[in-house]
Amino acid sequence: MKDVLTALLLALGRVLMAAIFVHAGLSKIDTYAHTAAFMQSHGVPGAVLPLVILLELGGGLAFALGLYTRFMAAALALFSIAAIAIFVLPPEGHMGMIVMYAEVAMVGGLIHYAVRGGGTLAVDQLLRSRRRSRSGGFAN
């Protein structure tokens, strides 16, 4: 029972964390010109925006599914650290501090998944199981 609960909570955590990135990626598509101008106002070339959308949307969906979980978590954590440094620091006022700490907490959660993996209810685990069965149980 404990293993089932752990698996469900790890999967739920992935989905909830990924929702922020998926929503942000979709939002950037919807407000493409405005987002590119905002990025440029902070010294980031607007030409980078398609890569940002790809990472947020594609990486977020992959992370939610538990596909390349460790890599996606690490990539999203590094991206988030860069976004904090560029767009959040220094925090302005009380709400700015709350936003900064929320972003930092997200990085902490992503680091957890980068180290631990996505759990047993992840596509990674399914792929790992298939590799083991094809190799007679000797594959990692």
Side-chain angles (χ1 to χ4, degrees):
M1 182 67 174
K2 181 182 173 193
D3 291 341
V4 172
L5 182 60
T6 298
L8 288 170
L9 290 174
L10 284 170
L12 178 62
R14 279 194 334 265
V15 170
L16 292 174
M17 291 178 73
I20 293 171
F21 292 102
V22 171
H23 179 268
L26 291 171
S27 176
K28 284 174 178 66
I29 292 169
D30 191 40
T31 61
Y32 192 93
H34 177 61
T35 302
F38 176 76
M39 289 171 59
Q40 289 172 344
S41 75
H42 284 81
V44 179
V48 175
L49 184 53
L51 296 174
V52 170
I53 293 169
L54 179 63
L55 179 60
E56 287 183 333
L57 188 54
L61 289 171
F63 181 69
L65 293 170
L67 179 63
Y68 305 114
T69 307
R70 291 177 183 212
F71 175 79
M72 288 300 154
L76 290 167
L78 290 172
F79 167 77
S80 295
I81 291 168
I84 292 167
I86 295 168
F87 301 108
V88 178
L89 293 179
E92 296 180 19
H94 181 69
M95 282 307 297
M97 288 295 288
I98 291 171
V99 168
M100 182 194 71
Y101 281 119
E103 294 285 344
V104 169
M106 176 65 78
V107 170
L110 289 165
I111 290 169
H112 168 83
Y113 281 99
V115 170
R116 182 152 199 244
T120 56
L121 294 178
V123 172
D124 291 338
Q125 186 66 31
L126 175 67
L127 296 174
R128 196 174 300 116
S129 296
R130 283 189 178 171
R131 281 194 301 265
R132 276 192 197 123
S133 67
R134 278 191 260 141
S135 65
F138 294 108
N140 284 335

